Amino acid sequence: MEFAMTPASTSPSSFRLSAVSTNGFIASPSDPELRREQAVAIFDLLDNNSFKPVGHGGGPYRLCLELFDRRLVVSVTTESGAHVLCHHLSLISFRPLLKDYRLVCESYAGSEGRLTPEKLEGIDMGRRAIHNEAAALLRERLKSKVEIDQDTARRLFTLIFLLVTRNTLDRGQQT
């Protein structure tokens, strides 16, 4: 399992992620747009995040995200590999948000060059609203296991979206 790592952010906090991995690559080499989104999301997440497992003394931490049996598996270890937590999160409550997010992203991508900047901005505002709602839901669903701030939750949702999208494309299913 490969971890994407960056130097520690400017924050000296030990309650942060220093590495993130997924169960394989989210995007295949044949899909450069998903690969770019994955790389940007991981870079942004590692550059600035707040990640505090409940009841744990401090990290930094390594995070692994995987899909298993239609659930998101969130595994956290310390940098030295010591187990911190493993949590299975049902994605049922995220399905409408994942679907809406996918539709608005597709709408935005398909409209570039055809719509006025104002209309594109409106679509983007809708995307951000869905992203914020999904991040708030993620924070709520994880709060008994890990405390994360809104920006960290937004970046994690992006990775979850990409992971689900990739899995859906591989299986030819709907989100």
Side-chain angles (χ1 to χ4, degrees):
M1 190 177 310
E2 302 260 336
F3 283 93
M5 300 183 81
T6 64
S9 71
T10 56
S11 169
S13 172
S14 65
F15 292 106
R16 64 177 175 77
L17 294 170
S18 63
V20 176
S21 71
T22 63
N23 59 343
F25 291 109
I26 289 174
S28 70
S30 64
D31 196 336
E33 181 60 28
L34 287 179
R35 294 284 286 165
R36 187 187 68 73
E37 285 185 53
Q38 173 187 343
V40 168
I42 290 173
F43 178 84
D44 288 347
L45 181 59
L46 293 176
D47 185 50
N48 185 18
N49 67 78
S50 174
F51 194 88
K52 184 177 183 181
V54 174
H56 195 267
Y61 302 101
R62 292 178 177 226
L63 171 68
C64 180
L65 301 174
E66 332 182 43
L67 289 179
F68 180 76
D69 196 26
R70 302 181 76 162
R71 292 179 173 269
L72 178 70
V73 180
V74 178
S75 302
V76 180
T77 63
T78 63
E79 283 188 323
S80 64
H83 173 79
V84 175
L85 71 93
C86 183
H87 181 64
H88 290 239
L89 181 67
S90 171
L91 294 175
I92 290 173
S93 58
F94 289 91
R95 279 195 191 135
L97 294 167
L98 289 163
K99 181 179 179 182
D100 290 348
Y101 191 75
R102 179 178 46 86
L103 291 173
V104 78
C105 287
E106 288 172 356
S107 176
Y108 184 86
S111 299
E112 288 182 300
R114 294 191 344 236
L115 296 178
T116 65
E118 293 81 18
K119 291 191 180 205
L120 284 174
E121 185 177 327
I123 294 171
D124 193 48
M125 286 174 56
R127 181 196 59 79
R128 282 182 292 194
I130 295 166
H131 207 164
N132 286 337
E133 184 179 347
L137 177 60
L138 184 60
R139 288 180 75 193
E140 176 64 29
R141 298 288 311 283
L142 289 176
K143 74 180 181 183
S144 68
K145 300 294 181 184
V146 63
E147 295 174 25
I148 54 178
D149 63 10
Q150 183 70 5
D151 288 340
T152 300
R154 283 178 55 85
R155 292 175 184 119
L156 285 174
F157 175 73
T158 299
L159 289 175
I160 293 166
F161 171 75
L162 293 170
L163 191 60
V164 169
T165 298
R166 172 62 185 178
N167 200 38
T168 301
L169 291 174
D170 284 348
R171 294 186 175 161
Q173 300 171 347
Q174 301 261 345
T175 303

